[in-house]
Amino acid sequence: MTKTPTALKVLDAVSVLLLAVAAWMVFAYAPMERTMGLVQKVFYFHVAANWVGMLGFLLAAVAGGAFLVTARARWDLLEVAAVEIGLAFSLIGIVSGSIWARPIWNTWWTWDPRLVTVTVMELIYIAYFMLRQGIEDPDRRARYAAVYAIVGFLSVPLTFLSIRLFRSIHPVVITSTKAELSPKMFQTFMFSLFTFTVIFAALVWHRFRLGQLAQRIERLRLDRES
Amino acid sequence: MSPTTADRPVTGLWRATAAIVWKDLTAERRSRELLSAMLVFALLVILAFNFALDLDPKTRSSVTSGVLWVTFIFAGTLGLNRSMAAEKDRGCLDGLLLAPMDRSAIYFGKMLANLAFMLIVEAIVFPLYSVLYNVNLFLPGLLLIVLLGSVGYVAIGTLLASMAVQARTREMLLPILLFPVTLPVLIAAVKGSAAFLGGLPMDEIRPWLNLLVVYDVVFLAVAFMVFDFIVEE
């Protein structure tokens, strides 16, 4: 358990390699956007980061459901890993979006529905950690956290998706200019998504192992005390 | 616990739910501590808004629905916190859990009681607000939105309150857990109320109504499914 599995080492190496290739594609392969210029390049990693954030929250909800059904601690560890990484990547998404918005919208921030929902999503998962901190009994903590991961995902992330799906109700100010992407841009975009997904898998795995180790230390300490 | 439920091996869901609602309402009728606190708090919030937003007739029309909903959810949080804390502190929750009935009855009972408190507060705030600010709030559509919004808010609020009450920082924790999760309901309720108050055509209101109904159903169903895991010991 203490030694890093070979598969994870390979995954780490692949992630680094993919990230290097993705960065090269973003800056050298994809053509310069005509109106927005250099800042448009934020778009590739911005969407990829948000995608990973969403993936993390979805995985957390699924792991939460699995924990409630099976009551096995590993699902709880997976859930924490997924939320933590989802939170970090959503933050990357928000910050990179701000960097793009500054020259394009001439402001760091607007109260667009999508921006609001993403921010509230961050708040939900910050609350998730406050909930975990507030409860001492490990079994109860895991159960409550699982419930909150499910409820939280049903609430805001679902709204976020529905804003994308039902555009007729909500105006969408940010245009991903997907339809206007040139083939090279589209390839770069898809490659970034893929890269970030692989990085996500590697990070979740690492965080999961960290959780396992923390759990083991806690058990050893309890054994010594008793 | 009423003795009638203890005599029987298993009480049906609806009977048990009704017993819990009745218990909460009776306790409240005798003590009157929850409703009075919620009401005074609600009025204070409205007064605070009055100074903070300078509610002159012009701005008023555009912010009325927002003011009302913030008042309702703040007062509602007070009620949710108190209703679960009372069960926990006096050991009533253990009694409820030991009772031979479906545990969903605890959820539905508490939910309906909380809903009743919230609706009572709203029923008093509405005419008061109408008189104080000289607007007619008694539009059938608006009342429907208020009902749907309250159901959604209380449905998820009761679930989260029963989690928060077990935490070290419970009074602080509930709003932090509840407000972001309940946001879809709140947005739909505020927008829908504003649309009714502004007399917009039904086409523009229906999406918000749909969203409210969807979230009411989703929250109720999820809370119903996971409540057992929260009270399980």
Side-chain angles (χ1 to χ4, degrees), chain A residues 98-110:
Chain A
S98 263
I99 293 171
W100 175 85
R102 180 69 189 129
I104 301 301
W105 291 344
N106 203 20
T107 170
W108 295 105
W109 187 259
T110 70

Side-chain angles (χ1 to χ4, degrees), chain B:
Chain B
M1 280 309 305
S2 65
T4 49
T5 52
D7 292 338
R8 293 162 182 274
V10 172
T11 313
L13 178 66
W14 294 115
R15 269 181 55 106
T17 305
I20 291 172
V21 175
W22 182 81
K23 166 192 82 74
D24 270 16
L25 293 181
T26 311
E28 184 52 35
R29 202 176 60 231
R30 294 193 182 143
S31 70
R32 292 203 183 87
E33 51 188 14
L34 190 62
L35 267 180
S36 51
M38 283 170 81
L39 265 177
V40 172
F41 186 73
L43 291 179
L44 284 173
V45 172
I46 290 180
L47 282 181
F49 270 124
N50 186 36
F51 296 116
L53 295 182
D54 227 352
L55 289 179
D56 58 74
K58 253 192 192 156
T59 49
R60 208 185 292 150
S61 57
S62 58
V63 297
T64 292
S65 82
V67 168
L68 281 174
W69 275 104
V70 170
T71 307
F72 293 156
I73 66 163
F74 279 4
T77 317
L78 218 61
L80 288 170
N81 249 330
R82 192 73 214 120
S83 97
M84 282 324 277
E87 299 288 354
K88 177 88 164 64
D89 292 344
R90 296 171 202 162
C92 305
L93 196 58
D94 297 329
L96 283 177
L97 290 176
L98 286 172
M101 60 183 185
D102 192 343
R103 283 182 174 169
S104 310
I106 303 177
Y107 169 72
F108 283 121
K110 291 310 267 184
M111 196 275 283
L112 288 173
N114 286 330
L115 181 64
F117 295 145
M118 213 168 151
L119 290 180
I120 292 171
V121 170
E122 285 160 358
I124 299 174
V125 166
F126 254 60
L128 265 176
Y129 194 95
S130 300
V131 171
L132 287 176
Y133 293 108
N134 196 23
V135 276
N136 180 21
L137 295 179
F138 289 89
L139 313 162
L142 184 61
L143 297 181
L144 178 69
I145 294 258
V146 166
L147 178 67
L148 288 175
S150 305
V151 168
Y153 181 74
V154 166
I156 204 68
T158 306
L159 180 80
L160 295 180
S162 40
M163 299 206 309
V165 78
Q166 305 283 0
R168 233 177 315 138
T169 50
R170 56 190 188 193
E171 279 85 5
M172 285 191 290
L173 194 57
L174 179 64
I176 293 174
L177 292 180
L178 180 55
F179 289 169
V181 170
T182 196
L183 197 83
V185 170
L186 189 64
I187 291 178
V190 170
K191 296 279 186 191
S193 308
F196 271 116
L197 283 169
L200 293 184
M202 204 54 203
D203 287 355
E204 287 179 42
I205 305 176
R206 199 163 290 122
W208 301 116
L209 263 176
N210 291 346
L211 194 65
L212 265 180
V213 173
V214 165
Y215 268 104
D216 282 3
V217 173
V218 167
F219 281 165
L220 272 174
V222 170
F224 170 64
M225 283 192 285
V226 298
F227 188 74
D228 268 11
F229 295 108
I230 288 180
V231 290
E232 167 187 293
E233 287 306 320

Side-chain angles (χ1 to χ4, degrees), chain A residues 56-72 74-80 82-83 128 132 142-151, chain B residues 226 229:
Chain A
F57 299 145
L58 174 65
L59 182 63
V62 172
F67 175 81
L68 289 183
V69 173
T70 63
R72 291 175 72 175
R74 53 179 8 174
W75 288 116
D76 184 49
L77 294 179
L78 181 64
E79 181 193 301
V80 177
V83 171
Y128 170 90
R132 287 191 81 95
R143 266 188 287 127
Y144 286 15
V147 166
Y148 198 66
I150 296 170
V151 170
Chain B
V226 298
F229 295 108

